[in-house]
Amino acid sequence: MRTVWKGTIGVGSFAILVKAYSATEEPGSGLHQLHLTDGGRLRFKRVCEVDGAEIPAEEVGRGYALPGGDVVVLSEAELASLAPESAHSIQVCGFVPPSQIDPVYFIKSYYLEPEVPATKPYVLLAEALLTAGRVALVKVAIRQRETLGALRVRDQLIVLDTMHWPNEVRRPDFPFLHEDIDVRMPELRAAANLIENLSGDFEPSAFADGYAAALQDLVDAKVEGREVVRPTAAIQDEAVTELLQALQSSAQDRTDADQGVAKAKAAAKKAAEAKGRARKATSKAKSAPKSQR
């Protein structure tokens, strides 16, 4: 696993050196957008809305848009200077029962591995959390953004769950919430009994991604029926055409150059012959008797 963050868990004046690894992964579906006529994959480009030019990565920056339409350009150095104190430290703010945290707040989980010198205090903190039946509320900055978080213990590991800030959780406002719905007690008891009868332990291995399996079956069926396209063929054909054109152009240039050299040599030969004839004529004229001049 690749380390995504490195720092300390700060409990008061004490610090525990740890490294963070993503605890989950999101396998891709394998699907991508393409051009239906030739199967070519579509790529997205960074295009400036002012001049329509494609912008290279080294010219891409970040800015803050103002209400009037102006933009404040911010450099990477300026943004880096805003790094909070939690950029390299998980700051423990308090301890609460896990049941008091609504799951809607949770974003992503990270496994925390202790550095070798910090192993004992790491294990002590984990055991203390389990014994107290609490999770630690913390602040941490990952990828330059400070976020709320919670430390809990899973399989002897301390897990960091990043969380939304309270103002990021939307307040639900649906029409039925304002209605007085009459639920009869016998119906409620019957529904509760059904739930109880269908209840059991959570076994993660009993669940599978049905869409991924169905997608793979569909792809396999199309491959078996040879319903596939070869998007690289058009690119290769285009490359062959370009190569032939380049070779033809080079051959023509070579022919033109050879013809030019031949013409230049012929002209030089004629000039040399004319110069020789002129020299002979001058020599004869000088050697002729005066009476013949």
Side-chain angles (χ1 to χ4, degrees):
M1 292 187 289
R2 183 175 62 87
T3 304
V4 297
W5 185 89
K6 186 176 181 179
T8 62
I9 300 176
V11 185
S13 59
F14 193 77
I16 304 173
L17 293 171
V18 295
K19 292 182 287 188
Y21 305 84
S22 177
T24 59
E25 60 182 359
E26 298 180 6
S29 66
L31 297 173
H32 61 261
Q33 290 185 321
L34 53 77
H35 188 195
L36 289 175
T37 59
D38 57 20
R41 186 167 182 172
L42 301 183
R43 302 289 184 178
F44 294 95
K45 301 178 179 179
R46 300 182 182 91
V47 178
C48 177
E49 65 178 16
V50 176
D51 57 16
E54 183 179 353
I55 308 302
E58 61 269 17
E59 294 184 18
V60 175
R62 286 191 282 180
Y64 188 91
L66 300 177
D70 292 334
V71 177
V72 177
V73 179
L74 302 172
S75 68
E76 292 299 326
E78 290 170 329
L79 291 172
S81 68
L82 300 178
E85 293 181 359
S86 56
H88 299 288
S89 176
I90 300 174
Q91 297 293 332
V92 176
C93 304
F95 301 91
V96 300
S99 60
Q100 291 185 359
I101 303 178
D102 191 323
V104 74
Y105 280 94
F106 294 123
I107 303 174
K108 189 174 178 62
S109 299
Y110 296 89
Y111 293 137
L112 299 183
E113 178 194 23
E115 299 282 6
V116 175
T119 301
K120 187 172 181 177
Y122 175 98
V123 172
L124 176 61
L125 176 60
E127 293 296 329
L129 288 173
L130 287 175
T131 302
R134 296 290 188 271
V135 296
L137 287 179
V138 302
K139 285 184 178 181
V140 60
I142 297 178
R143 298 184 180 92
Q144 295 185 338
R145 183 182 179 186
E146 187 175 55
T147 184
L148 192 62
L151 297 183
R152 59 184 174 89
V153 181
R154 180 178 186 272
D155 296 335
Q156 298 183 324
L157 274 178
I158 296 178
V159 178
L160 165 65
D161 292 315
T162 55
M163 300 168 59
H164 292 288
W165 294 106
N167 64 338
E168 295 176 335
V169 178
R170 294 176 176 174
R171 182 182 180 85
D173 186 15
F174 301 104
F176 81 91
L177 295 176
H178 306 285
E179 299 176 3
D180 186 11
I181 307 298
D182 183 22
V183 178
R184 297 181 180 181
M185 187 57 64
E187 297 171 336
L188 178 59
R189 281 198 295 265
N193 287 334
L194 286 173
I195 292 175
E196 181 65 27
N197 293 336
L198 295 172
S199 296
D201 295 328
F202 175 53
E203 298 291 344
S205 59
F207 300 89
D209 186 350
Y211 177 80
L215 175 62
Q216 188 60 54
D217 290 341
L218 176 60
V219 171
D220 292 342
K222 284 189 170 286
V223 171
E224 185 176 350
R226 304 191 66 80
E227 296 181 49
V228 297
V229 294
R230 185 66 63 85
T232 56
I235 299 175
Q236 291 173 354
D237 291 343
E238 182 180 352
V240 170
T241 301
E242 291 178 354
L243 176 60
L244 292 176
Q245 289 176 347
L247 290 173
Q248 184 177 2
S249 178
S250 297
Q252 186 61 48
D253 292 343
R254 179 66 178 271
T255 300
D256 293 343
D258 291 344
Q259 290 178 349
V261 171
K263 289 180 179 179
K265 288 182 177 179
K269 183 178 180 181
K270 289 182 180 179
E273 291 175 350
K275 186 176 181 180
R277 290 194 295 270
R279 190 181 298 112
K280 289 180 180 180
T282 302
S283 177
K284 288 181 180 181
K286 289 182 178 180
S287 59
K290 293 184 180 181
S291 58
Q292 295 178 359
R293 294 181 183 177

